[in-house]
Amino acid sequence: MIFSDVVIIGAGAAGLMAAATAGYRGRSVTVVDMGKKPGRKILISGGGRCNFTNENAGPENYLCQNPHFTKSALSRYSAQDFIELVDRHGLNYHHKTLGQLFCDDSAQDIVDILLTECEWAGVNIAMRSEVIAISKNETGYIVQTSGESYQCESLVVASGGLTMPKLGASPMGYKIAEKFGLSVLPTTAALVPFTLHEHDKQKFDGLSGISIFTEIFSEDGTTFKENILFTHRGLSGPAVLQISSFWQAGQAVTINLLPESSIDSLITEWRETSPQKSLKNLLSTVLPKRFIEALVKQKDISDKAINQISNDEITYLGQYLHNWQIKPNGTEGYRTAEVTLGGVNTDELSSKTFEAKKSKGLFFIGEVIDVTGWLGGYNFQFAWSSGAACGQAC
């Protein structure tokens, strides 16, 4: 039996942050993880460059049954705090649109920073350690792994959600919560591409790789302005990933294909400058040509000279292009999703320390709980914030 003040299950973003924070407080900390190496999800994020935070991260950027839950942690460990940490380690990074920060070189740099912090804080990391059983006794918790047994005062569950099972995702964290009497909200894949019904797939066959800047709306009124991307299976791109968190099965999404201009004003202009030109050719100057050709082929849009288009047709075009509706067949699921929606009910946890109200010394942080950020570095920031808050208390 190995004695450790704190045992953390999961060597991901939240777990490593909590480990270093607790270690610096003088706590003996052991991190256990069934994988071969730490930070696997960090390594593949952001196309291998890790969108490690978002300068604009605030409670409004998170989905949670309790919208106030994230306020305390985000205010006590902000994006600026994490930026100061990576600056101290000399990380080279760059800003992208909408407050996103990415590594210049590799996501490995973020993992290296976290591992260095853990080393300086005296943290022990045991990889290839599968958790077999957990029990509670008078002094805390006993964690039985495939390699060792640990006795700890504080047990931190940072095991993540169900996304990307090939990286070892499992429902273990939810099962631990339920074992100790905590409620777990239904889970679903979020920040995930849509699949299309067969008739729509056929309609847009050959458009894979085409990207369009749009404004996208869910049925609950949530809206994002970013690109959509046609794929072999359906629709992806930042706008689709964002709206997927707000989409329910059976619902349609509405897409404004020309969010920066009005088709009415474009046609008025074209009638004066190019009256003999075809609608197809002129629309192809503001939207991808292959996309317009597909709409014409399906007779969604008629191909006429601009000076032959009636006012009724202009009204129809405006409705079609500014309120293009598509009903997804579903999503690509946990295999390609970036995060899991739902999880351990935040009503069961302290928003200040992330300790379970029903079980002293038991903590849940990161993706395993019912907090899901927008696309763009928000989920990593919650991992840092929840990890830091827990590390100060466990």
Side-chain angles (χ1 to χ4, degrees):
M1 181 80 71
I2 295 175
F3 292 89
S4 186
D5 293 331
V6 183
V7 168
I8 297 173
I9 300 173
L16 293 175
M17 177 58 97
T21 308
Y24 281 130
R25 288 174 48 233
R27 302 284 275 166
S28 59
V29 182
T30 300
V31 180
V32 297
D33 191 293
M34 67 187 292
K36 292 178 186 176
K37 52 186 182 180
R40 285 172 298 168
K41 207 166 171 189
I42 298 172
L43 292 172
I44 64 162
S45 65
R49 290 204 169 169
C50 187
N51 178 191
F52 57 85
T53 192
N54 193 297
E55 292 174 302
N56 305 321
E60 66 279 4
N61 304 116
Y62 295 87
L63 285 81
C64 177
Q65 193 165 266
N66 174 0
H68 304 292
F69 182 80
T70 60
K71 287 180 178 176
S72 175
L74 290 170
S75 65
R76 283 159 50 228
Y77 193 91
S78 66
Q80 194 53 48
D81 290 314
F82 192 75
I83 292 166
E84 286 172 11
L85 171 66
V86 300
D87 282 344
R88 288 200 300 275
H89 284 263
L91 178 74
N92 294 317
Y93 59 88
H94 56 277
H95 297 246
K96 280 199 176 177
T97 56
L98 308 172
Q100 300 170 44
L101 271 64
F102 285 79
C103 300
D104 281 359
D105 299 320
S106 163
Q108 183 67 53
D109 293 340
I110 294 292
V111 176
D112 290 345
I113 288 170
L114 294 168
L115 293 178
T116 300
E117 289 287 318
C118 284
E119 186 184 338
W120 290 347
V123 173
N124 173 46
I125 300 176
M127 300 305 294
R128 299 178 188 258
S129 295
E130 185 179 358
V131 174
I132 307 296
I134 294 170
S135 56
K136 191 174 184 184
N137 60 15
E138 59 283 350
T139 55
Y141 298 84
I142 296 173
V143 181
Q144 174 73 50
T145 74
S146 49
E148 297 283 356
S149 287
Y150 300 91
Q151 168 72 55
C152 60
E153 185 184 331
S154 297
L155 175 60
V156 179
V157 180
S159 53
L162 298 172
T163 48
M164 300 185 186
K166 67 183 179 193
L167 293 183
S170 80
M172 176 176 58
Y174 310 134
K175 289 178 178 175
I176 296 170
E178 288 169 342
K179 176 182 172 70
F180 291 100
L182 281 65
S183 71
V184 176
L185 300 176
T187 57
T188 187
L191 299 182
V192 62
F194 287 138
T195 56
L196 295 180
H197 290 282
E198 197 54 43
H199 62 272
D200 283 325
K201 252 203 292 202
Q202 288 175 7
K203 190 175 185 176
F204 301 116
D205 184 43
L207 298 189
S208 181
I210 284 179
S211 180
I212 304 174
F213 180 73
T214 66
E215 185 170 18
I216 193 165
F217 303 83
S218 65
E219 287 194 6
D220 72 354
T222 304
T223 176
F224 292 96
K225 256 190 185 179
E226 289 190 72
N227 281 40
I228 64 168
L229 174 72
F230 286 89
T231 71
H232 291 298
R233 290 179 292 274
L235 288 175
S236 187
V240 167
L241 298 186
Q242 292 280 36
I243 215 71
S244 70
S245 297
F246 300 85
W247 176 81
Q248 305 276 334
Q251 291 183 343
V253 290
T254 302
I255 301 173
N256 182 353
L257 294 162
L258 291 168
E260 307 286 272
S261 53
S262 138
I263 194 67
D264 289 15
S265 56
L266 285 172
I267 288 180
T268 300
E269 180 190 324
W270 291 338
R271 276 173 163 170
E272 291 178 12
T273 59
S274 313
Q276 306 296 328
K277 283 195 175 175
S278 73
L279 176 63
K280 181 177 85 171
N281 288 345
L282 288 167
L283 280 176
S284 297
T285 64
V286 291
L287 286 165
K289 184 180 179 186
R290 274 161 56 206
F291 176 63
I292 295 302
E293 285 172 346
L295 297 183
V296 170
K297 184 180 176 185
Q298 294 294 329
K299 299 189 167 48
D300 287 348
I301 289 178
S302 60
D303 187 24
K304 293 181 174 179
I306 285 295
N307 59 6
Q308 292 177 353
I309 294 174
S310 68
N311 289 335
D312 283 349
E313 286 171 315
I314 294 172
T315 302
Y316 165 79
L317 266 177
Q319 181 63 28
Y320 188 90
L321 295 174
H322 292 302
N323 296 282
W324 185 52
Q325 276 214 340
I326 196 147
K327 189 176 277 191
N329 182 35
T331 74
E332 290 194 9
Y334 293 117
R335 184 179 60 82
T336 56
E338 301 213 2
V339 287
T340 304
L341 196 67
V344 177
N345 191 338
T346 56
D347 289 346
E348 303 276 13
L349 308 174
S350 159
S351 62
K352 187 175 181 186
T353 65
F354 293 82
E355 186 173 21
K357 295 172 184 175
K358 291 176 183 168
S359 198
K360 182 172 164 48
L362 179 63
F363 300 79
F364 292 83
I365 55 174
E367 193 185 342
V368 74
I369 66 178
D370 174 40
V371 174
T372 304
W374 291 5
L375 183 73
Y378 297 101
N379 288 292
F380 274 125
Q381 184 53 47
F382 182 69
W384 316 137
S385 298
S386 61
C390 171
Q392 291 291 347
C394 66

